[in-house]
Amino acid sequence: ESLHSCIGLLGISAGSLLLAVHFYSSQRAAPLLPSTALGALLLLLSALLAYAGIRRSLRNTSLLVSLCLTLSSFWSGYGLILILAGQGALPEPGAALLPGLATLTLALLLVALVGLLCHEPLLALLAAALALASAHELALLCSSSLGPSAVACSHLLVCLLGGYSAVGRMLFLLTKGRVALPGTDLTGKKAQEQGWGGSGGTNPFAAPGLLLNALSASVFGCRLLGVTHSLSLGHVPWLWAAGTFQIGICVLSYRAMDALMATAFGFTAILKFAGGYCLLYPTWQPEEPAFPAPFLVVFSILFAVLALFLSLQSPVDGLYLLVFVAYCIALACSPRGFFAGGPQGVAVVIFVASALVALIHLSKVRGRAQLPPGQGAVKALLARSSLLKLREGPELHAPYLGYSKYADAEVLAYACSVLAAFALTAPGDPQAPLATVVIPWVVVAGGILKLLCGSVAFSRGKTLESSAFILYSIMWIIWGLARYGGLYGTARTFHAALGIVAFLLFNSFIVFCSLFLSMAWFLYSLTFTLVAVSFLLDAIHALPAGYDVAATLPFGLVSFYCFLAALTSSTFEGCSFPLGAPMVQLSGVGAGATKCLHLPARKASSVKRIADILRSGGTCGIPTDTVYVLVAACSRPDAVEKAHRSKRQAQDRPMSLWISSLKQLEPAKHLFTPLLWDFMEAAWPSPISLVIPRGEWVDLLGMKDSARYVGTAQSVAIRIPDCSVTTHLIDLVGPIVVTSANPTGEADTTHHNQVYAKLGDQVDAVLCGGPSPENIASTVVDCTKIDSGSIGFFRVGIIPKAQVLQILEQVQKK
């Protein structure tokens, strides 16, 4: 953690040193660092800062995360502008730099203020020095009387402060706390940061995302206020850098389990890409692009619904999103779109609101001096209601069948479907296919973000949903570029029709599988088939007038219903839009309606809950040091019989016993021969199952009549697994009965998804540990004749024969 902090601080120092050299030599005829080289170096350093901020925030959070991510995004836009200026594309780069520098100065002042209030003096000084350097550069652009030396001195101060902080942290790390420079002593600070960052479900990436909204708003606000004379190509890097970073922050917000803010950042990233496209379009066409008003109205509705649900989580954030509702309406009412005064006036409001809400989120990152976001008032109000109850607790983001560290992204996926569907309702001019802003809507909203949602759904074990989202995202990207990007042309070819037919075949498989999922998903995939058919008819010159609009409207409406259903089900308990039962019912398939719990193995609370289920007579699938197994508590004979019945255990493959230590067999030690006891002590814990003679010791385990299902009449297989999760579970429950988690005759189960897929609701719970460390079961050794010095092998798994024989030789010598 300290190392990643050092990387971020050294990156800030290196970037400031480059800028200091650049401004010191700017008066020369040939500066030491050309604009192109400086821009490329700033892009590399911005990537380094982004890495440092992301990696450090995975463990704990601090203001350094916000500082690194914010500065990384601004240096990206700054570097792109310098590269354009160096290549001669921008004759006056100063006007292009003004909006970004103004926003960067404000953002750094906010970080410095919160750092001062949270007793982070070095970080506050570093942010203040960066703000001073940006302010000096801003003043230099407005008036040449200041001179570049003041800017260089400010950046040199940043370089010294950043280097001092980085060296102090490195000394503290290398000397293990024995040497610490003043202000860099991390003793006790790590525990404070972990406590602050993990309290209250804080999203450390929200503040940088809000500051990026202020950056895009400043581009249009500066034009309205007269700070810049016109909107030009030089402002596009600010908008597109902000949009790209905001997509990354959308992903990181899902990692922080904040699905609503992630969806909001996905929406605002679309606005940034569209704004940059509109500013870029006049560079090759004399006119400004047109705006599809119906699409913007739909976008404002999505913003409004999201603001309503977000206000239940944080009223301040919900009210903040209402400003974007007004922004979309202002764009829909203005034929000139981003170039009109009305939307630019709303952009000024967004700039002010983003700064205020970012200040609140910055204060939430640290435990002290928090500004109230209003969460307590909403919870107190809903606590009095018997109908609406907020969904909270550890099961809020529990994966269905997967093992994921991300919140569910279905809300954004359905919203992207709505946006893409209503974007296609806007007619395009065949002679000027790029004359509307439909191309960024379709490609970004229906493509990149939907591809992201598909990958998140796959990591959460939603195989069908992820396949559909990824397939539809590819379709939106290809069709958006082909039809509205000028690649399709006036000629319709056989190859285009053949590709669409291939998509239809893939989608027909998704439609068939959705019969087993839910009614809503069946309609969702079926209505997309109508959209794909309209693409096919257009490719073969047989598209009836108005059919494409008639085909996309049902898909958009069904997507909007699924969007509302996903929002309500993730926000409230027992109150959601019905998705409908599966049209075809199969055992083990139920679209998440299974009674089988799926609990992450990395949590101690999950192991405790599995233990409670086993003690109550349940059967569970758990990970081991080999493959997944089905277990039941020996103290519950009914559970042992249930496991035997659900497994459909063959008589020639009896179940075995597992213990966590030989202490559990200590009361029956006199029933074992000394050689066998010593051999068990030497062999365990390991993936070695020992087949030992059956005796009175079996009756001490409490299986009663169900003992006939374990072992044979002459012998029983027993083992101590070499897996901390499994042995901890046995410590809580006692000895357990074990069998492979698959019907007899099938391959071993090597992933927790396969446990439910093979056994269905016959399993009460699954402890999800991801893929198995091994793909084969344990080594089974016959010890029924060990007293004569010989052993046999039923099966050789992970442990080779030579290793088992070596253990026996050592025991015999002992």
Side-chain angles (χ1 to χ4, degrees):
E1 295 161 359
S2 299
L3 180 61
H4 291 120
S5 300
C6 295
I7 292 174
L9 293 169
L10 289 176
I12 294 173
S13 300
S16 298
L17 181 61
L18 290 174
L19 291 172
V21 172
H22 170 72
F23 282 102
Y24 266 126
S25 62
S26 61
Q27 299 297 325
R28 301 181 181 181
L32 294 177
L33 285 175
S35 295
T36 304
L38 179 61
L41 290 173
L42 284 179
L43 288 177
L44 291 176
L45 288 174
S46 67
L48 186 66
L49 284 178
Y51 168 78
I54 293 171
R55 292 297 301 174
R56 190 174 192 280
S57 62
L58 297 181
R59 287 295 185 90
N60 54 46
T61 58
S62 71
L63 292 176
L64 186 60
V65 174
S66 300
L67 179 61
C68 288
L69 293 179
T70 302
L71 199 58
S72 173
S73 58
F74 279 87
W75 276 0
S76 297
Y78 195 108
L80 290 173
I81 292 175
L82 290 178
I83 291 175
L84 291 175
Q87 298 300 313
L90 292 178
E92 296 182 1
L97 291 173
L98 280 173
L101 290 175
T103 310
L104 178 59
T105 304
L106 176 62
L108 293 172
L109 286 176
L110 293 177
V111 175
L113 175 62
V114 177
L116 187 63
L117 294 175
C118 295
H119 304 286
E120 290 277 0
L122 271 181
L123 191 60
L125 283 175
L126 183 62
L130 283 166
L132 180 63
S134 300
H136 278 164
E137 188 173 354
L138 191 63
L140 177 63
L141 294 176
C142 297
S143 175
S144 59
S145 60
L146 180 65
S149 299
V151 184
C153 289
S154 300
H155 280 295
L156 191 59
L157 178 62
V158 173
C159 180
L160 294 175
L161 286 172
Y164 176 81
S165 301
V167 170
R169 287 177 178 257
M170 290 177 67
L171 286 175
F172 184 88
L173 178 65
L174 294 175
T175 62
K176 297 182 179 179
R178 290 191 296 270
V179 178
L181 298 179
T184 62
D185 188 359
L186 302 180
T187 305
K189 187 176 294 185
K190 180 185 293 187
Q192 286 181 335
E193 288 183 352
Q194 290 177 347
W196 289 337
S199 60
T202 302
N203 181 4
F205 310 106
L210 294 167
L211 293 174
L212 291 175
N213 286 336
L215 172 61
S216 60
S218 68
V219 171
F220 302 106
C222 287
R223 173 64 190 90
L224 180 69
L225 299 176
V227 178
T228 55
H229 299 292
S230 62
L231 297 172
S232 62
L233 174 65
H235 297 113
V236 176
W238 292 123
L239 294 172
W240 281 6
T244 302
F245 270 82
Q246 207 156 44
I247 288 181
I249 288 177
C250 173
V251 178
L252 294 173
S253 296
Y254 281 120
R255 180 63 181 260
M257 299 299 174
D258 193 354
L260 295 181
M261 285 302 293
T263 307
F265 289 139
F267 285 176
T268 52
I270 296 170
L271 287 173
K272 292 171 179 56
F273 280 108
Y277 173 77
C278 290
L279 269 62
L280 185 65
Y281 184 77
T283 59
W284 74 82
Q285 294 292 336
E287 72 275 1
E288 297 168 356
F291 274 78
F295 171 78
L296 290 170
V297 172
V298 172
F299 206 5
S300 65
I301 293 174
L302 292 177
F303 263 118
V305 174
L306 185 62
L308 176 63
F309 282 88
L310 189 58
S311 62
L312 300 175
Q313 172 182 309
S314 175
V316 172
D317 295 333
L319 292 174
Y320 170 71
L321 279 191
L322 291 180
V323 183
F324 286 93
V325 177
Y327 191 54
C328 292
I329 294 175
L331 287 172
C333 296
S334 303
R336 297 183 63 231
F338 292 101
F339 296 92
Q344 290 176 5
V346 182
V348 175
V349 179
I350 291 177
F351 180 85
V352 177
S354 299
L356 294 176
V357 180
L359 180 61
I360 295 175
H361 279 272
L362 283 172
S363 68
K364 285 172 62 179
V365 172
R366 309 310 298 256
R368 306 175 185 176
Q370 283 194 7
L371 299 177
Q375 295 176 345
V378 175
K379 290 184 178 180
L381 181 63
L382 292 178
R384 303 176 181 178
S385 174
S386 58
L387 298 177
L388 300 179
K389 183 179 180 182
L390 290 178
R391 187 184 296 273
E392 295 178 329
E395 301 300 327
L396 177 60
H397 301 290
Y400 166 44
L401 284 178
Y403 179 78
S404 175
K405 297 180 180 179
Y406 295 86
D408 205 335
E410 284 193 354
V411 174
L412 181 58
Y414 293 131
C416 289
S417 297
V418 177
L419 296 177
F422 283 94
L424 290 176
T425 60
D429 186 2
Q431 304 303 322
L434 296 176
T436 67
V437 293
V438 161
I439 180 70
W441 305 121
V442 172
V443 173
V444 177
I448 299 174
L449 289 176
K450 203 173 183 70
L451 191 64
L452 158 69
C453 299
S455 62
V456 173
F458 182 80
S459 68
R460 295 179 62 81
K462 298 185 176 182
T463 308
L464 177 61
E465 293 92 328
S466 64
S467 302
F469 291 152
I470 293 173
L471 176 67
Y472 296 171
S473 70
I474 296 173
M475 190 69 176
W476 290 129
I477 292 174
I478 295 176
W479 186 252
L481 288 172
R483 180 175 177 181
Y484 295 101
L487 305 178
Y488 199 51
T490 56
R492 308 295 191 265
T493 63
F494 169 77
H495 302 88
L498 191 62
I500 297 171
V501 169
F503 273 106
L504 281 171
L505 291 176
F506 281 117
N507 191 60
S508 63
F509 176 73
I510 292 177
V511 173
F512 172 75
C513 294
S514 64
L515 292 171
F516 310 100
L517 197 59
S518 65
M519 176 64 73
W521 253 95
F522 174 73
L523 294 176
Y524 179 72
S525 56
L526 184 63
T527 50
F528 185 82
T529 304
L530 301 178
V531 178
V533 168
S534 70
F535 296 165
L536 178 62
L537 294 176
D538 185 50
I540 61 176
H541 288 284
L543 181 66
Y547 177 79
D548 52 347
V549 176
T552 52
L553 284 177
F555 178 71
L557 293 175
V558 172
S559 301
F560 184 72
Y561 180 85
C562 294
F563 168 74
L564 292 176
L567 269 177
T568 54
S569 62
S570 62
T571 305
F572 300 110
E573 291 184 3
C575 178
S576 61
F577 284 68
L579 294 178
M583 300 183 68
V584 179
Q585 291 282 356
L586 286 180
S587 175
V589 180
T594 171
K595 298 178 181 178
C596 176
L597 295 176
H598 292 77
L599 306 173
R602 66 183 185 275
K603 294 184 177 181
S605 59
S606 301
V607 180
K608 184 178 181 299
R609 191 166 181 182
I610 292 290
D612 294 336
I613 294 173
L614 292 177
R615 284 193 293 262
S616 301
T619 58
C620 301
I622 63 171
T624 68
D625 49 347
T626 53
V627 296
Y628 276 79
V629 294
L630 177 65
V631 301
C634 289
S635 58
R636 293 301 301 258
D638 54 337
V640 176
E641 185 175 354
K642 177 183 176 183
H644 184 276
R645 185 172 58 253
S646 61
K647 165 75 189 289
R648 300 193 297 274
Q649 190 79 32
Q651 294 299 325
D652 59 341
R653 296 184 181 181
M655 296 189 289
S656 60
L657 289 174
W658 281 11
I659 57 178
S660 59
S661 70
L662 281 175
K663 292 181 180 179
Q664 293 177 332
L665 295 180
E666 195 74 33
K669 183 178 180 179
H670 62 283
L671 299 175
F672 297 90
T673 63
L675 182 60
L676 176 58
W677 189 268
D678 292 341
F679 186 62
M680 289 191 294
E681 282 186 333
W684 292 333
S686 68
I688 301 177
S689 295
L690 302 182
V691 179
I692 62 178
R694 195 183 189 102
E696 299 177 3
W697 61 271
V698 177
D699 300 331
L700 300 177
L701 300 179
M703 290 184 290
K704 299 180 181 179
D705 293 339
S706 63
R708 66 181 185 275
Y709 300 121
V710 180
T712 64
Q714 294 79 29
S715 61
V716 176
I718 188 169
R719 179 158 85 95
I720 298 179
D722 189 11
C723 178
S724 58
V725 173
T726 311
T727 53
H728 178 51
L729 178 64
I730 301 174
D731 285 337
L732 298 175
V733 178
I736 58 176
V737 173
V738 178
T739 183
S740 57
N742 54 270
T744 302
E746 296 188 9
D748 289 328
T749 303
T750 58
H751 196 277
H752 58 256
N753 286 350
Q754 299 175 6
V755 178
Y756 180 73
K758 293 182 177 183
L759 298 178
D761 280 330
Q762 299 177 44
V763 185
D764 295 299
V766 178
L767 195 60
C768 302
S772 299
E774 302 291 342
N775 293 327
I776 52 178
S778 62
T779 301
V780 182
V781 181
D782 182 5
C783 296
T784 55
K785 300 179 181 180
I786 194 172
D787 292 330
S788 61
S790 65
I791 57 174
F793 290 88
F794 284 119
R795 179 178 65 233
V796 178
I798 305 169
I799 305 298
K801 293 182 179 180
Q803 186 174 346
V804 180
L805 293 173
Q806 185 179 4
I807 296 173
L808 178 60
E809 290 177 1
Q810 293 174 354
V811 171
Q812 287 176 328
K813 290 179 181 179
K814 176 185 176 181

